[in-house]
Amino acid sequence: MIRPIAMLVGAFFVGALLWAIVKTPLTNEVDKMKAFHLEPKELHLASDGPFGHWDTAQLQRGLKVYKEVCAACHGLGQVAFYDFKALGYDEDQVKAIASSWPIQTATINPDTGEAATRAPIISDKLPQPYLNEVAARAANNNAYPPDLSLITKAREGHAPYLYSLLTGYRNPPANLPEELRPSGPLHYNPYFANLNIAMPPPLTAEGQVTYDDGTRATVDQMAKDVTAFLVWTAEPKLATRHAYGWAILGFLLVLTTLAYMSYRSIWADKKH
């Protein structure tokens, strides 16, 4: 009886030792990453808070940044062209925007060997930049660019994280351990979870896009504008929800007041 128990105890300690050997380097590496990881910067958008609303001028600028910079790799599969009416565009303007975004089809153009395209209509969802995940990975060193429709909700830190990530690219610090330094196609960004991200800096210089309203297109401004736009794609009904919420609160306040006044009127002369 003693021998089996001793074997079990011995096996337990051997397993604990192996676990410690396997986990210790990983734990140490995570601790090293935390020492260099930065929390998201502060970001204040018009849509923040219970009185949040959309700054349509900023959203239009953000759409321009997305279209001219981000759309080459990242899709917006949950957004249709007609949704852009909410950004202050009329139907003709939406059609003009859609016309510059040809829709790829599953057929192959026999003359070029490439995917055939068709003219979009405003009820179409925005086209994906790649036909499938295999093509996306092949074009991005095996990294898969995520769809951005819900990105500000899908990532911890939300909009401030995205803004920080876009403006956070820099050279690795001199004291960064060798095992944490970016290699190959990776780029150092202290706002990214493991410090090294496959996406190269998308916003690299002032004037990378030209804003129609004359706003100076600094890297910081472009990052704020596209972040605001992606907050809208993730929750386009936010302003309407806020308006309904305040209307409902007002209704409940009036109803509560009337109910209390009725109570006082009916029971004022009643004795307990």
Side-chain angles (χ1 to χ4, degrees), residues 3 7 11 45 50 54 81 84 90 101 108 117 130 136-137 177 183 218 238 249 254 256 260 269-270:
R3 186 173 181 181
M7 292 177 66
L45 299 174
W54 298 123
F81 288 110
F84 293 153
D90 59 33
W101 235 310
I108 301 297
T117 60
Y130 305 103
R137 290 188 181 278
S183 59
T218 64
L238 179 141
L249 284 176
V254 172
T256 301
Y260 177 73
D269 58 345
K270 306 296 181 182

Side-chain angles (χ1 to χ4, degrees), residues 87-247:
L87 307 187
Y89 296 113
D90 59 33
E91 186 164 333
D92 289 337
Q93 290 173 316
V94 171
K95 288 180 178 178
I97 293 171
S99 66
S100 61
W101 235 310
I103 305 295
Q104 290 184 334
T105 66
T107 58
I108 301 297
N109 186 324
D111 297 326
T112 64
E114 299 177 350
T117 60
R118 64 170 176 81
I121 56 177
I122 63 172
S123 60
D124 282 323
K125 297 288 182 68
L126 268 69
Q128 296 294 324
Y130 305 103
L131 284 177
N132 52 46
E133 182 176 341
V134 174
R137 290 188 181 278
N140 292 278
N141 294 302
N142 205 39
Y144 184 52
D147 186 273
L148 298 183
S149 304
L150 304 174
I151 198 69
T152 57
K153 284 184 170 293
R155 295 294 185 267
E156 183 179 0
H158 308 295
Y161 164 74
L162 182 60
Y163 162 70
S164 301
L165 188 74
L166 291 172
T167 57
Y169 289 86
R170 61 193 67 178
N171 293 324
N175 61 337
L176 185 70
E178 190 62 34
E179 63 270 22
L180 298 183
R181 289 184 171 275
S183 59
L186 300 180
H187 307 268
Y188 181 75
N189 192 318
Y191 297 98
F192 194 63
N194 66 0
L195 305 180
N196 299 309
I197 184 171
M199 179 177 71
L203 303 174
T204 56
E206 181 175 335
Q208 192 169 344
V209 303
T210 302
Y211 286 138
D212 298 330
D213 63 2
T215 299
R216 183 182 172 191
T218 64
V219 169
D220 188 75
Q221 184 67 55
M222 290 185 289
K224 287 179 179 177
D225 292 342
V226 76
T227 298
F229 171 71
L230 293 173
V231 170
W232 172 78
T233 65
E235 194 170 5
K237 303 298 182 184
L238 179 141
T240 302
R241 180 168 56 80
H242 284 174
Y244 283 157
W246 285 113

Side-chain angles (χ1 to χ4, degrees), residues 39-83:
E39 293 300 314
K41 307 173 189 177
E42 285 191 10
L43 175 66
H44 302 288
L45 299 174
S47 56
D48 293 342
F51 296 99
H53 61 281
W54 298 123
D55 180 345
T56 54
Q58 184 172 47
L59 297 184
Q60 290 182 9
R61 294 196 301 269
L63 169 59
K64 191 174 185 68
V65 176
Y66 168 75
K67 185 176 186 297
E68 296 187 13
V69 179
C70 310
C73 298
H74 297 276
L76 279 181
Q78 302 299 316
V79 180
F81 288 110
Y82 62 70
D83 292 327

